[in-house]
Amino acid sequence: MSYMPVTASMFLLAETRDQPIHVGGLQLFIPREGQSSTELAEEIFETFYSCTDVHPLFRKRPAQPVSLVGSLMWSFDDEIDFDYHVRRAVLPRPGRIRELFRYVSLHHGTLLDRNRPMWEVHVIDGLEDGRVALYTRIHHSIVDGVSALRLLERTLSEDPDDRSGTAPWNPSLMRRRPKPTAPAKGLLSRIGDIAGTATGLAGEVVGLGAAAAKVAYTAFTDDAFVPPLHAAPKTILDVPIGSARRFAAQRWELTRLRAIADEMDITINDVMVAMCSGAMRAYLIDQDALPDAPLIAAMPVSLHTDNDADGNNITAIMVNLATDQPDPERRLATIIASTRKSKEVVRSLSPVQSMALGAANFAPLALATVPGFVRYTPPQFNLIISNVPGPKTDMYWNGAKLDGVYPASIPLGGQAINITVATTADHINFGLTGARKEVPSLQRLLTHLDTSLEELEKVADVGA
Amino acid sequence: MSYMPVTASMFLLAETRDQPIHVGGLQLFIPREGQSSTELAEEIFETFYSCTDVHPLFRKRPAQPVSLVGSLMWSFDDEIDFDYHVRRAVLPRPGRIRELFRYVSLHHGTLLDRNRPMWEVHVIDGLEDGRVALYTRIHHSIVDGVSALRLLERTLSEDPDDRSGTAPWNPSLMRRRPKPTAPAKGLLSRIGDIAGTATGLAGEVVGLGAAAAKVAYTAFTDDAFVPPLHAAPKTILDVPIGSARRFAAQRWELTRLRAIADEMDITINDVMVAMCSGAMRAYLIDQDALPDAPLIAAMPVSLHTDNDADGNNITAIMVNLATDQPDPERRLATIIASTRKSKEVVRSLSPVQSMALGAANFAPLALATVPGFVRYTPPQFNLIISNVPGPKTDMYWNGAKLDGVYPASIPLGGQAINITVATTADHINFGLTGARKEVPSLQRLLTHLDTSLEELEKVADVGA
């Protein structure tokens, strides 16, 4: 058994049957020349199934599945029940992307069993376009979204002729040096390598309750940015949620966002957030539910460096989405100002302080399990928007080309929509995960994202 | 909203993430002449999907998904999210029964969402033998196993040319007089029609705690039969369980059991219980875990009459399985004596008393959610064995012949195996549901059931 840091255990303690806390990823592969989708699916499945040497990260589970604060420990299983963790699925006809998203939606809403290592891999064929999908989910107490994607990427190769494809839990992969991935520029490179002991320290500083978070926070508060425990406007997303999920995803050419960013001297991340802002505004207008005050987004910020250990290593900043602003140019300006201010504050903090700030920002995660909390307390933020870096070049698994990476993340009571994007070589891939019953017409957000991107192209005077 | 009787709410209160409390059923159909399995699967799916007029039983859900004793109410949804409740699935190659059971295992272990009506139907093709499977699960707070099977049966017809096949929730079905089903002879016909008000009364008498159960019980205790709160031997089944499940099933010709029953002047149910006893004995010997004292089985007894309302209406008797006895003939004699005594006692009770007895017998269900209860308290019984009546003649859904009905039921902390059988026209269908991690080699029980049946044939001097 080994000690579990608070940054991991809070994801176990905050979890309820209505609020499963695992991150998911959907990867799509094109079979290599002459290979059918069923053959590729079976090749992946057999390879994974026979990779019985399993890294400890994929063997650990909570030693006491139902426990109380302070007494959580990890234990490590020697044997993995592959029949349970590695699954095959075939989509029913007509095998459209719609059937695939439905599969992901229905599986993403169930709890992972705490009596075994908390992860699953589903190898899916039956898509009419001949691609093979890999849907993976892993509990947030084990890894954050950045680590999860990195684990999957390590199974891939830049070489289409490479046939050493293996399973993400192969211990030899962990020893491979990860490819330098650079999308999280500036901020991340400035915040140093704080993995390891810092996690324990942050846990001690922060605790879990709102009061503790407030105490931790007062040490370094700054009036000029969106502070933790600030009240965001009440919206239709700020409701208790059921466990059922809806998942939708789409990708856009990265060149389109890059053109806007270059023209306006901003980051691709700024453009992405502005797309989300415009889309959320349009979506809420559709629902006749746009609040007067602007939405606040929580944006997890990875503190991972290229060489640190896998696991949980995030903080978060709060961004004013300026959804009250009809003009896209002014909206963009407000978003950029808010993001920069938040990043400056994080940058000025010590590693321990920045993790404490993250924990303070995510305190509502734990409080959402208290009956009535979500219903009667103003939200601190309205939705989560994450940006996780994917591979920067074309990648292959045993010659099958990776063609799309869509994150499926965690809606919460109070934050019923999660938008997570992954950037890959040529695309920005949006994964929308919403509480199924509480968020109507989630897929309409995809249309609004597209419209919002067109608007930004007009603002920057680029593109079509 | 409407009041929820304690007999329903106790199944909600006793449920945890490790102990989902829903009943499942797997039905297999042979496509009609000239129809492919995919065509039949799509026909069933489309028919179900378009049956948008939904009986209240399939629209009700707990008004407050997380609530406390005494305040549980039902509310009724007007719209059903068919994309969620009605699912299509295709088995991966090679599409053996093994892949089907795996599908059922993996789905049976997840909680039903309490924020919507708590049922699902999965229409599955891809079986190599060309049959189509229907896996259905429904929360025990809504119906018991007998009602669940009856609901499915009402969608069927004895006439292979009948094309009025519809969904189980079609309100017009509830008005159809159910076929007289007679397998639960004697006992059931003697216990009168006590549906309705009696449920509320029993709830008031019994409450949920062990103390209340004891008080209710002392009114009609009898030393000669296995009483509630009697300590069964500690076994490997008496452990806290995880949520993951394993499901295995097989059927035997009913003529084989009938020959034994006729020869020995006992019931088919007696033969079934003796099969289970022999199989459990052999299984525990395999595991080097046979206790000195005999296993005690809880056998739910339906109080349904042919014309009563659907819902929950059960009590239970405790049966000495005589697993300590190596000789099959003596084992059978002990089982029969124990069953008869238990039935006599139930028969002598008033309807309210018999439901109170059932609630007392199932009090551990609620107590199993108390941390440590299962670990430190001797079990009252070791496993649950149920017998639910299926159709007595060949039945068809739009001309597709029903060919196998296998129940998937509820293992509990302390009772990690559930054996439920359904008798149909020519077969007795065994469904074994076990806690996946805690019950090793569940499928070996199928072999032992077969051996046990052969032993009983020798005892009765019938068969091969």
Side-chain angles (χ1 to χ4, degrees):
Chain A
M1 298 215 288
S2 76
Y3 172 67
M4 192 189 299
V6 171
T7 42
S9 61
M10 73 178 203
F11 293 113
L12 290 168
L13 294 164
E15 187 173 66
T16 66
R17 62 186 292 156
D18 287 334
Q19 185 176 283
I21 299 188
H22 50 255
V23 291
L26 184 65
Q27 292 176 298
L28 287 155
F29 291 92
I30 301 170
R32 55 178 187 267
E33 196 66 33
Q35 187 183 42
S36 75
S37 60
T38 301
E39 284 163 356
L40 174 58
E42 289 178 355
E43 184 179 324
I44 297 173
F45 181 75
E46 295 303 333
T47 306
F48 284 14
Y49 205 88
S50 57
C51 180
T52 52
D53 190 11
V54 179
H55 188 278
L57 199 66
F58 289 84
R59 291 194 286 109
K60 73 181 183 181
R61 62 175 173 83
Q64 291 190 291
V66 280
S67 189
L68 298 171
V69 186
S71 66
L72 286 171
M73 309 280 281
W74 290 118
S75 70
F76 293 84
D77 283 359
D78 289 330
E79 269 189 66
I80 299 297
D81 176 0
F82 282 98
D83 266 341
Y84 187 87
H85 294 275
V86 186
R87 307 183 179 192
R88 274 281 284 122
V90 180
L91 296 177
R93 294 196 301 194
R96 296 162 301 184
I97 289 295
R98 180 181 166 164
E99 275 75 37
L100 178 62
F101 289 168
R102 192 171 170 213
Y103 182 92
V104 172
S105 301
L106 295 177
H107 283 85
H108 202 64
T110 63
L111 292 165
L112 288 162
D113 185 358
R114 291 192 178 185
N115 294 270
R116 54 182 66 238
M118 297 168 76
W119 58 270
E120 288 171 10
V121 177
H122 301 235
V123 187
I124 309 161
D125 69 330
L127 271 167
E128 61 181 350
D129 64 19
R131 290 184 291 177
V132 168
L134 213 60
Y135 166 62
T136 312
R137 57 182 193 142
I138 185 162
H139 201 268
H140 207 325
S141 61
I142 301 173
V143 296
D144 56 42
V146 171
S147 284
L149 197 53
R150 198 151 75 169
L151 288 168
L152 291 171
E153 265 176 51
R154 289 208 195 113
T155 67
L156 306 178
S157 165
E158 286 179 40
D159 177 5
D161 296 322
D162 186 338
R163 293 291 179 275
S164 67
T166 182
W169 48 90
N170 189 328
S172 71
L173 289 178
M174 310 289 177
R175 292 186 287 269
R176 272 193 211 173
R177 252 185 107 77
K179 297 270 155 207
T181 52
K185 277 177 207 144
L187 174 62
L188 298 195
S189 54
R190 296 279 292 276
I191 299 174
D193 184 348
I194 66 151
T197 54
T199 312
L201 279 174
E204 280 172 47
V205 172
V206 176
L208 276 170
K214 260 183 178 151
V215 170
Y217 172 67
T218 47
F220 48 83
T221 187
D222 177 323
D223 286 345
F225 78 120
V226 179
L229 306 178
H230 170 93
K234 196 86 184 158
T235 70
I236 56 169
L237 307 180
D238 181 33
V239 288
I241 62 174
S243 66
R245 297 287 168 265
R246 203 178 295 276
F247 177 69
Q250 194 169 318
R251 65 182 180 180
W252 283 269
E253 298 281 337
L254 204 52
T255 49
R256 292 180 66 184
L257 281 81
R258 190 174 290 127
I260 299 167
D262 288 351
E263 186 62 33
M264 304 194 71
D265 196 25
I266 57 177
T267 67
I268 286 175
N269 193 68
D270 291 334
V271 183
M272 181 277 285
V273 177
M275 280 176 73
C276 294
S277 161
M280 284 306 300
R281 180 180 151 84
Y283 172 80
L284 290 170
I285 289 173
D286 279 353
Q287 304 292 328
D288 201 17
L290 182 70
D292 292 338
L295 295 195
I296 306 296
M299 294 195 64
V301 175
S302 169
L303 300 173
H304 283 288
T305 57
D306 287 349
N307 302 305
D308 70 351
D310 297 302
N312 267 295
N313 202 0
I314 55 170
T315 183
I317 59 172
M318 295 290 148
V319 175
N320 177 344
L321 288 186
T323 45
D324 54 332
Q325 182 54 258
D327 178 58
E329 189 161 6
R330 288 191 192 175
R331 209 155 55 221
L332 180 61
T334 307
I335 290 166
I336 291 169
S338 166
T339 311
R340 290 198 179 154
K341 189 72 204 161
S342 282
K343 286 187 179 178
E344 261 171 42
V345 171
V346 172
R347 215 174 277 144
S348 70
L349 299 176
S350 74
V352 173
Q353 284 173 331
S354 73
M355 289 208 64
L357 172 65
N361 274 328
F362 280 105
L365 190 76
L367 297 174
T369 57
V370 179
F373 181 82
V374 168
R375 212 182 292 269
Y376 303 116
T377 316
Q380 184 200 347
F381 53 92
N382 301 105
L383 76 164
I384 296 175
I385 301 178
S386 297
N387 188 345
V388 294
K392 305 299 292 173
T393 54
D394 286 343
M395 300 292 274
Y396 301 84
W397 187 92
N398 272 7
K401 187 181 174 189
L402 177 67
D403 184 59
V405 175
Y406 301 101
S409 195
I410 307 168
L412 297 167
Q415 289 84 33
I417 286 183
N418 178 301
I419 301 180
T420 300
V421 306
T423 44
T424 49
D426 302 318
H427 292 94
I428 182 159
N429 307 267
F430 281 71
L432 314 178
T433 317
R436 185 179 189 93
K437 188 173 173 182
E438 295 76 16
V439 179
S441 315
L442 180 71
Q443 66 287 356
R444 294 219 49 186
L445 261 179
L446 295 176
T447 313
H448 292 315
L449 281 169
D450 199 56
T451 310
S452 188
L453 176 58
E454 284 170 8
E455 273 181 2
L456 291 164
E457 285 174 329
K458 269 184 213 142
V459 168
D461 199 19
V462 297
Chain B
M1 298 216 285
S2 77
Y3 171 69
M4 190 189 302
V6 171
T7 40
S9 60
M10 73 178 205
F11 293 112
L12 291 168
L13 295 164
E15 187 174 64
T16 66
R17 62 186 289 157
D18 287 334
Q19 185 176 283
I21 301 188
H22 49 255
V23 290
L26 183 65
Q27 292 177 298
L28 288 155
F29 290 93
I30 301 169
R32 55 177 188 266
E33 195 68 31
Q35 188 183 41
S36 75
S37 60
T38 302
E39 284 163 357
L40 173 58
E42 289 178 354
E43 183 179 323
I44 296 173
F45 181 76
E46 295 304 333
T47 305
F48 283 14
Y49 206 87
S50 58
C51 180
T52 52
D53 189 10
V54 178
H55 189 276
L57 198 65
F58 289 84
R59 290 194 287 107
K60 71 181 183 181
R61 62 175 173 83
Q64 291 189 291
V66 279
S67 190
L68 299 170
V69 185
S71 66
L72 286 172
M73 309 279 283
W74 290 119
S75 72
F76 294 84
D77 284 359
D78 287 333
E79 268 189 68
I80 298 297
D81 176 0
F82 283 99
D83 266 341
Y84 187 88
H85 294 275
V86 186
R87 306 183 180 193
R88 273 281 284 124
V90 180
L91 296 178
R93 293 196 302 193
R96 295 162 301 185
I97 287 296
R98 182 182 164 161
E99 275 76 36
L100 177 63
F101 288 168
R102 193 170 168 214
Y103 181 93
V104 172
S105 300
L106 295 176
H107 284 84
H108 202 64
T110 63
L111 292 165
L112 289 162
D113 185 359
R114 290 190 179 185
N115 294 269
R116 55 183 65 238
M118 298 168 77
W119 58 270
E120 288 170 11
V121 177
H122 301 235
V123 187
I124 309 160
D125 69 331
L127 270 168
E128 61 181 351
D129 64 20
R131 289 184 292 178
V132 167
L134 212 61
Y135 165 62
T136 312
R137 56 183 193 141
I138 185 162
H139 201 270
H140 207 325
S141 62
I142 301 171
V143 295
D144 57 42
V146 170
S147 283
L149 196 54
R150 196 152 74 171
L151 288 168
L152 291 170
E153 265 174 53
R154 288 204 195 116
T155 66
L156 306 178
S157 164
E158 285 179 43
D159 177 5
D161 295 321
D162 186 336
R163 292 292 179 276
S164 67
T166 182
W169 49 88
N170 189 327
S172 71
L173 287 179
M174 310 288 177
R175 291 186 288 268
R176 273 193 209 170
R177 249 186 110 75
K179 296 271 156 205
T181 51
K185 277 177 204 142
L187 175 62
L188 298 196
S189 55
R190 298 280 293 276
I191 299 172
D193 184 348
I194 65 151
T197 53
T199 313
L201 279 175
E204 280 171 46
V205 172
V206 175
L208 275 171
K214 259 183 179 153
V215 170
Y217 173 67
T218 47
F220 46 82
T221 188
D222 178 321
D223 286 343
F225 80 119
V226 180
L229 306 180
H230 169 92
K234 196 86 184 160
T235 70
I236 56 170
L237 306 180
D238 180 31
V239 288
I241 60 173
S243 66
R245 296 286 168 265
R246 203 178 293 278
F247 177 69
Q250 193 169 315
R251 66 182 180 180
W252 283 267
E253 299 281 339
L254 204 53
T255 48
R256 291 180 65 185
L257 282 81
R258 190 173 290 125
I260 299 168
D262 288 351
E263 187 61 35
M264 303 193 70
D265 196 24
I266 57 178
T267 68
I268 285 175
N269 192 67
D270 291 332
V271 181
M272 181 276 285
V273 177
M275 280 175 74
C276 294
S277 161
M280 284 306 299
R281 179 180 153 84
Y283 173 81
L284 290 170
I285 289 173
D286 280 353
Q287 305 291 329
D288 200 16
L290 183 69
D292 291 340
L295 296 194
I296 307 297
M299 295 195 65
V301 175
S302 168
L303 300 173
H304 283 290
T305 56
D306 288 349
N307 301 307
D308 69 354
D310 297 303
N312 267 294
N313 203 358
I314 55 169
T315 184
I317 59 171
M318 294 291 150
V319 175
N320 177 346
L321 288 186
T323 46
D324 54 332
Q325 181 53 259
D327 178 59
E329 188 162 4
R330 287 193 191 172
R331 209 155 56 222
L332 180 61
T334 306
I335 290 166
I336 292 170
S338 167
T339 312
R340 290 200 177 153
K341 188 72 202 164
S342 283
K343 287 187 178 178
E344 259 173 43
V345 171
V346 173
R347 214 173 277 143
S348 70
L349 300 175
S350 75
V352 173
Q353 284 172 331
S354 73
M355 289 207 66
L357 172 64
N361 274 328
F362 280 106
L365 191 75
L367 297 175
T369 59
V370 178
F373 181 82
V374 168
R375 212 183 290 271
Y376 303 115
T377 316
Q380 185 199 350
F381 52 91
N382 300 105
L383 76 164
I384 296 175
I385 301 176
S386 297
N387 188 346
V388 294
K392 305 298 291 172
T393 54
D394 286 341
M395 300 293 274
Y396 301 84
W397 188 92
N398 271 9
K401 187 182 174 189
L402 177 67
D403 183 59
V405 175
Y406 301 101
S409 194
I410 307 167
L412 296 168
Q415 289 84 34
I417 288 183
N418 178 302
I419 301 178
T420 300
V421 306
T423 44
T424 50
D426 301 320
H427 293 94
I428 182 158
N429 307 265
F430 280 72
L432 313 179
T433 317
R436 186 180 188 90
K437 190 171 172 184
E438 295 76 16
V439 179
S441 315
L442 181 71
Q443 66 287 357
R444 295 217 50 183
L445 261 179
L446 294 176
T447 313
H448 291 316
L449 282 168
D450 199 55
T451 310
S452 188
L453 177 57
E454 284 171 7
E455 273 181 3
L456 291 164
E457 285 175 329
K458 268 185 213 141
V459 167
D461 199 18
V462 294

